[in-house]
Amino acid sequence: MIIKPRIRGFICTTAHPVGCAHSVQEQIDWVKKQPTLKGYRNVLVIGASTGYGLAARIAACFGGGARTVGVFFERPALRNRTASAGWYNSVAFESVARDAGYYSKSINGDAFSDEIKEQAISVIRKDLGDVDLVVYSLASPRRTHPRSGAQYTSVLKTVGEPYTGKTVDIHTGVVSEVTIEPATDDEIGNTVAVMGGEDWDLWIQALEAADVLAEGVRTVAFTYIGPELTRPVYGNGTIGKAKIHLEATARELDARMRKRNGRAYISANKAVVTQSSAAVPVVSLYISLLYKVMKEKHIHEGCIEQMYRLLKDRLYAGPPVPTDESGRIRIDDLELREDVQSRIESLWRSVTTENLEAISDVQVFREEFLKLFGFGLPSVDYMADVDPNQPLWCP
Ligand code: NAD
């Protein structure tokens, strides 16, 4: 079939297999040009099909030869519906990794469930023996609790007070004011249940109980801190509450991992265009300005540059691993540089619908958004007939 983008709000309901493959290949090619990484052998990535998790998998494998097990929740093609982008990304990753002689296995299913944890453990036990790095990069709008069956849905709201601020509709380029209402206690609790640290802890517990964590294992999960501008919506909002829980979990896990000479970390990452961040109001406008400013200063990074730097200059740079005073790994250092933020603040004050295209990288945001789904790549012939059915080998 000929596959075209079909955009519904913050999501594109179609994905292009060839475009996704090219975009995965671009990341692989970039990593292969960098100095070789070392420090790990067997890597489990939870949330491995898009965004930061996919980039971590690519960096670990093609940067340092890791054997990787990737867990994700993606949709295969069905009749005249394309598969999801993460499915095609994973098909592409598996194919290139295997052709290059790297071990790689993927598990598609709900990572919040006990069943998927057991599947991952059985693959690790059978094929790898153990894992020495566990990257936890899930971003999900909902979670079913594996024991109680309770269903939680996360919300993007403020806590306490409503917040009114600028935002942009990236598709139309209209800059407007948006008011985000405060969440109820229930909504806060639900968001913490989905995006907090409980599931990361359950993964580590399951891996510990199965005795598949290597001596010296490291585990890392991701947060976003960001500047004052995004703080009401992100850091001080419902998602921020979930991240506080994630950080508390990291401290508990760290104490447990130290007993096996390992460590658990939180890494504060840069704001990038992913399927998750595209949905956050205010942040979309902030990212459009951030990209412009960081590109002007030649310090722009996407997921792959961030994940490579996480492995090379942070997780495996020590001992000791460089962290801030709270023990967090910081790879948002360039984003939060004073000169970057003061420039964004001044652009933020003046940005309107009329000057948006000129003073921001909203066009780059659009291109990156489309690219998440395999569209808009100059190397791809979008008029060519493609088979949406791409098998992904799962154990
Ligand atoms: P993403 O949407 O690109 O990726 C999410 C991944 O989780 C995908 O692989 C998806 O398949 C997987 N997933 C979702 N639900 C699942 C489930 N039930 N079972 C198995 N897999 C499931 O997200 P992202 O933006 O890369 O975010 C990853 C992490 O990085 C999050 O913790 C996020 O808060 C953090 N982070 C993101 C940004 C940003 O700007 N995007 C910045 C800093 C930190």
Side-chain angles (χ1 to χ4, degrees), residues 47-53 71-74 109-112 137-140 195 222-224 234 243 269-272 274-277:
S49 53
T50 56
Y52 275 126
V71 180
F72 45 79
F73 205 5
E74 300 294 345
D110 183 4
F112 295 130
S137 186
L138 279 198
S140 173
M195 288 297 285
F222 302 139
T223 191
Y224 178 67
Y234 199 98
K243 295 298 184 185
N269 299 354
K270 171 185 182 281
V272 289
T274 66
Q275 292 191 36
S276 301
S277 66

Short mmCIF file of all heavy atoms in Angstrom, two decimals, residues 47-53 71-74 109-112 137-140 195 222-224 234 243 269-272 274-277, ligand 1:
data_model
loop_
_atom_site.label_atom_id
_atom_site.label_comp_id
_atom_site.label_asym_id
_atom_site.label_seq_id
_atom_site.Cartn_x
_atom_site.Cartn_y
_atom_site.Cartn_z
N GLY A 47 10.92 -0.27 27.39
CA GLY A 47 10.48 0.92 26.63
C GLY A 47 11.45 1.19 25.49
O GLY A 47 11.88 2.32 25.29
N ALA A 48 11.76 0.11 24.73
CA ALA A 48 12.91 0.14 23.80
C ALA A 48 12.57 0.49 22.35
O ALA A 48 13.44 0.41 21.50
CB ALA A 48 13.59 -1.23 23.82
N SER A 49 11.32 0.86 22.07
CA SER A 49 10.94 0.94 20.65
C SER A 49 10.90 2.35 20.07
O SER A 49 10.87 2.50 18.85
CB SER A 49 9.56 0.29 20.46
OG SER A 49 8.65 0.88 21.36
N THR A 50 10.85 3.37 20.92
CA THR A 50 10.82 4.75 20.43
C THR A 50 11.59 5.64 21.41
O THR A 50 11.97 5.19 22.49
CB THR A 50 9.36 5.29 20.33
OG1 THR A 50 8.75 5.17 21.62
CG2 THR A 50 8.53 4.56 19.31
N GLY A 51 11.81 6.87 21.02
CA GLY A 51 12.35 7.89 21.93
C GLY A 51 13.66 7.49 22.59
O GLY A 51 14.56 6.94 21.96
N TYR A 52 13.74 7.80 23.87
CA TYR A 52 14.98 7.58 24.61
C TYR A 52 15.35 6.09 24.73
O TYR A 52 16.52 5.73 24.70
CB TYR A 52 14.89 8.22 26.00
CG TYR A 52 15.26 9.68 25.98
CD1 TYR A 52 14.42 10.66 26.48
CD2 TYR A 52 16.48 10.08 25.43
CE1 TYR A 52 14.78 12.00 26.43
CE2 TYR A 52 16.85 11.42 25.39
CZ TYR A 52 16.00 12.37 25.89
OH TYR A 52 16.37 13.70 25.85
N GLY A 53 14.36 5.24 24.91
CA GLY A 53 14.65 3.81 25.08
C GLY A 53 15.26 3.22 23.82
O GLY A 53 16.26 2.47 23.87
N VAL A 71 12.06 -4.45 25.55
CA VAL A 71 10.65 -4.67 25.89
C VAL A 71 9.87 -3.44 25.48
O VAL A 71 10.32 -2.30 25.73
CB VAL A 71 10.48 -4.91 27.41
CG1 VAL A 71 9.01 -5.14 27.76
CG2 VAL A 71 11.33 -6.08 27.87
N PHE A 72 8.73 -3.63 24.86
CA PHE A 72 7.91 -2.48 24.43
C PHE A 72 6.50 -2.97 24.17
O PHE A 72 6.23 -4.18 24.20
CB PHE A 72 8.50 -1.83 23.16
CG PHE A 72 8.92 -2.82 22.11
CD1 PHE A 72 8.00 -3.42 21.28
CD2 PHE A 72 10.27 -3.15 21.97
CE1 PHE A 72 8.40 -4.34 20.32
CE2 PHE A 72 10.67 -4.08 21.01
CZ PHE A 72 9.74 -4.67 20.19
N PHE A 73 5.59 -2.02 23.91
CA PHE A 73 4.19 -2.37 23.67
C PHE A 73 3.78 -1.70 22.36
O PHE A 73 3.45 -0.52 22.36
CB PHE A 73 3.35 -1.85 24.83
CG PHE A 73 2.06 -2.60 25.03
CD1 PHE A 73 1.74 -3.72 24.28
CD2 PHE A 73 1.14 -2.19 26.00
CE1 PHE A 73 0.57 -4.41 24.48
CE2 PHE A 73 -0.05 -2.86 26.21
CZ PHE A 73 -0.33 -3.98 25.46
N GLU A 74 3.84 -2.42 21.29
CA GLU A 74 3.57 -1.84 19.97
C GLU A 74 2.55 -2.69 19.23
O GLU A 74 2.33 -3.85 19.55
CB GLU A 74 4.88 -1.73 19.17
CG GLU A 74 5.94 -0.86 19.83
CD GLU A 74 5.55 0.61 19.92
OE1 GLU A 74 4.59 1.03 19.25
OE2 GLU A 74 6.20 1.35 20.69
N GLY A 109 4.72 -6.50 24.55
CA GLY A 109 3.58 -6.75 25.44
C GLY A 109 3.62 -5.76 26.58
O GLY A 109 4.51 -4.91 26.65
N ASP A 110 2.67 -5.89 27.48
CA ASP A 110 2.53 -4.91 28.56
C ASP A 110 3.61 -5.10 29.64
O ASP A 110 3.53 -6.04 30.44
CB ASP A 110 1.12 -5.05 29.16
CG ASP A 110 0.87 -4.02 30.24
OD1 ASP A 110 1.76 -3.16 30.46
OD2 ASP A 110 -0.21 -4.08 30.86
N ALA A 111 4.56 -4.20 29.66
CA ALA A 111 5.69 -4.30 30.60
C ALA A 111 5.23 -4.20 32.04
O ALA A 111 5.95 -4.60 32.95
CB ALA A 111 6.70 -3.18 30.32
N PHE A 112 4.02 -3.65 32.27
CA PHE A 112 3.51 -3.53 33.63
C PHE A 112 3.04 -4.90 34.16
O PHE A 112 2.79 -5.04 35.35
CB PHE A 112 2.34 -2.55 33.69
CG PHE A 112 2.72 -1.12 33.35
CD1 PHE A 112 1.99 -0.40 32.41
CD2 PHE A 112 3.79 -0.50 33.99
CE1 PHE A 112 2.33 0.92 32.12
CE2 PHE A 112 4.13 0.82 33.70
CZ PHE A 112 3.41 1.52 32.76
N SER A 137 12.71 3.03 30.49
CA SER A 137 12.32 4.20 29.70
C SER A 137 10.87 4.13 29.26
O SER A 137 10.54 4.49 28.13
CB SER A 137 13.26 4.34 28.50
OG SER A 137 13.00 5.53 27.80
N LEU A 138 10.01 3.67 30.15
CA LEU A 138 8.58 3.59 29.79
C LEU A 138 7.93 4.97 29.86
O LEU A 138 8.24 5.76 30.74
CB LEU A 138 7.82 2.72 30.80
CG LEU A 138 7.85 1.21 30.67
CD1 LEU A 138 6.70 0.62 31.47
CD2 LEU A 138 7.76 0.76 29.24
N ALA A 139 7.08 5.24 28.92
CA ALA A 139 6.20 6.41 29.01
C ALA A 139 4.85 5.92 28.53
O ALA A 139 4.72 5.46 27.39
CB ALA A 139 6.70 7.56 28.15
N SER A 140 3.88 5.95 29.41
CA SER A 140 2.59 5.36 29.06
C SER A 140 1.46 6.21 29.62
O SER A 140 1.59 6.81 30.69
CB SER A 140 2.51 3.95 29.66
OG SER A 140 1.22 3.42 29.47
N MET A 195 3.32 6.64 36.13
CA MET A 195 4.65 7.14 35.75
C MET A 195 5.63 7.22 36.92
O MET A 195 6.77 7.67 36.74
CB MET A 195 4.52 8.51 35.07
CG MET A 195 3.91 8.46 33.67
SD MET A 195 4.91 7.53 32.49
CE MET A 195 6.25 8.68 32.17
N PHE A 222 14.52 7.72 33.74
CA PHE A 222 14.67 9.09 33.24
C PHE A 222 13.67 10.07 33.84
O PHE A 222 12.50 9.75 34.03
CB PHE A 222 14.53 9.11 31.72
CG PHE A 222 15.53 8.22 31.03
CD1 PHE A 222 15.15 7.43 29.95
CD2 PHE A 222 16.84 8.15 31.47
CE1 PHE A 222 16.07 6.60 29.32
CE2 PHE A 222 17.77 7.34 30.85
CZ PHE A 222 17.38 6.56 29.78
N THR A 223 14.17 11.28 34.06
CA THR A 223 13.28 12.36 34.47
C THR A 223 13.53 13.58 33.60
O THR A 223 14.49 13.62 32.82
CB THR A 223 13.49 12.73 35.96
OG1 THR A 223 12.42 13.59 36.38
CG2 THR A 223 14.81 13.46 36.20
N TYR A 224 12.64 14.54 33.73
CA TYR A 224 12.85 15.84 33.08
C TYR A 224 12.71 16.91 34.15
O TYR A 224 11.74 16.89 34.92
CB TYR A 224 11.82 16.07 31.96
CG TYR A 224 12.02 17.42 31.31
CD1 TYR A 224 13.17 17.67 30.58
CD2 TYR A 224 11.08 18.43 31.45
CE1 TYR A 224 13.39 18.93 30.01
CE2 TYR A 224 11.29 19.68 30.88
CZ TYR A 224 12.45 19.91 30.16
OH TYR A 224 12.68 21.15 29.61
N TYR A 234 5.15 20.88 34.10
CA TYR A 234 5.85 19.61 34.19
C TYR A 234 6.33 19.33 35.62
O TYR A 234 5.73 18.55 36.34
CB TYR A 234 7.02 19.58 33.18
CG TYR A 234 7.47 18.18 32.92
CD1 TYR A 234 7.04 17.47 31.80
CD2 TYR A 234 8.31 17.52 33.81
CE1 TYR A 234 7.42 16.16 31.58
CE2 TYR A 234 8.71 16.22 33.60
CZ TYR A 234 8.26 15.54 32.49
OH TYR A 234 8.64 14.25 32.29
N LYS A 243 7.50 11.86 39.02
CA LYS A 243 8.96 11.81 38.95
C LYS A 243 9.59 11.88 40.35
O LYS A 243 10.66 11.32 40.57
CB LYS A 243 9.49 12.93 38.05
CG LYS A 243 9.09 12.79 36.58
CD LYS A 243 9.64 11.53 35.94
CE LYS A 243 9.31 11.47 34.44
NZ LYS A 243 9.72 10.21 33.80
N ASN A 269 17.16 14.12 31.63
CA ASN A 269 17.44 14.25 30.18
C ASN A 269 16.91 15.56 29.64
O ASN A 269 16.06 16.21 30.24
CB ASN A 269 16.77 13.11 29.41
CG ASN A 269 17.27 11.74 29.84
OD1 ASN A 269 18.21 11.63 30.63
ND2 ASN A 269 16.65 10.70 29.31
N LYS A 270 17.37 15.86 28.43
CA LYS A 270 16.96 17.07 27.72
C LYS A 270 15.55 16.90 27.15
O LYS A 270 15.13 15.77 26.86
CB LYS A 270 17.96 17.27 26.58
CG LYS A 270 17.63 18.32 25.58
CD LYS A 270 18.67 18.30 24.46
CE LYS A 270 18.40 19.38 23.45
NZ LYS A 270 17.33 19.02 22.51
N ALA A 271 14.85 18.01 26.93
CA ALA A 271 13.56 17.97 26.25
C ALA A 271 13.78 17.70 24.75
O ALA A 271 14.57 18.40 24.11
CB ALA A 271 12.83 19.30 26.42
N VAL A 272 13.15 16.67 24.24
CA VAL A 272 13.26 16.32 22.82
C VAL A 272 11.87 16.00 22.28
O VAL A 272 10.94 15.76 23.07
CB VAL A 272 14.18 15.08 22.61
CG1 VAL A 272 15.64 15.41 22.86
CG2 VAL A 272 13.75 13.91 23.46
N THR A 274 9.35 13.63 21.16
CA THR A 274 9.00 12.20 21.11
C THR A 274 7.48 12.11 21.12
O THR A 274 6.80 13.13 21.30
CB THR A 274 9.53 11.41 22.33
OG1 THR A 274 8.85 11.88 23.51
CG2 THR A 274 11.04 11.54 22.51
N GLN A 275 6.96 10.91 20.98
CA GLN A 275 5.51 10.76 20.98
C GLN A 275 4.94 11.26 22.31
O GLN A 275 3.83 11.77 22.35
CB GLN A 275 5.14 9.29 20.76
CG GLN A 275 5.48 8.82 19.36
CD GLN A 275 4.88 7.47 19.04
OE1 GLN A 275 3.77 7.14 19.46
NE2 GLN A 275 5.61 6.68 18.27
N SER A 276 5.69 11.10 23.39
CA SER A 276 5.19 11.54 24.69
C SER A 276 5.26 13.05 24.84
O SER A 276 4.30 13.68 25.29
CB SER A 276 5.97 10.89 25.82
OG SER A 276 5.87 9.51 25.72
N SER A 277 6.39 13.67 24.48
CA SER A 277 6.54 15.11 24.74
C SER A 277 5.68 15.95 23.81
O SER A 277 5.30 17.07 24.15
CB SER A 277 8.00 15.53 24.64
OG SER A 277 8.48 15.39 23.33
P1 NAD B 1 8.27 7.41 24.11
O1 NAD B 1 6.81 7.60 24.09
O2 NAD B 1 9.05 7.76 22.90
O3 NAD B 1 8.63 5.86 24.46
C1 NAD B 1 7.89 5.13 25.37
C2 NAD B 1 8.27 3.67 25.30
O4 NAD B 1 7.50 2.96 26.31
C3 NAD B 1 7.96 2.97 23.97
O5 NAD B 1 8.97 2.02 23.68
C4 NAD B 1 6.65 2.22 24.27
O6 NAD B 1 6.43 1.05 23.48
C5 NAD B 1 6.90 1.84 25.71
N1 NAD B 1 5.67 1.51 26.43
C6 NAD B 1 4.63 2.33 26.73
N2 NAD B 1 3.71 1.63 27.44
C7 NAD B 1 4.20 0.38 27.58
C8 NAD B 1 3.73 -0.79 28.21
N3 NAD B 1 2.57 -0.84 28.88
N4 NAD B 1 4.48 -1.92 28.13
C9 NAD B 1 5.67 -1.93 27.45
N5 NAD B 1 6.17 -0.83 26.86
C10 NAD B 1 5.44 0.30 26.93
O7 NAD B 1 8.79 8.19 25.40
P2 NAD B 1 10.10 9.04 25.74
O8 NAD B 1 9.79 10.47 25.52
O9 NAD B 1 11.31 8.43 25.16
O10 NAD B 1 10.13 8.86 27.33
C11 NAD B 1 10.89 7.86 27.99
C12 NAD B 1 11.26 8.38 29.37
O11 NAD B 1 12.09 9.54 29.23
C13 NAD B 1 10.07 8.81 30.22
O12 NAD B 1 10.32 8.48 31.57
C14 NAD B 1 10.06 10.33 30.07
O13 NAD B 1 9.44 10.99 31.14
C15 NAD B 1 11.56 10.58 30.04
N6 NAD B 1 11.96 11.90 29.47
C16 NAD B 1 11.48 12.31 28.27
C17 NAD B 1 11.86 13.56 27.78
C18 NAD B 1 11.35 14.07 26.45
O14 NAD B 1 11.52 15.27 26.18
N7 NAD B 1 10.75 13.23 25.63
C19 NAD B 1 12.76 14.35 28.52
C20 NAD B 1 13.27 13.87 29.72
C21 NAD B 1 12.85 12.63 30.20
#
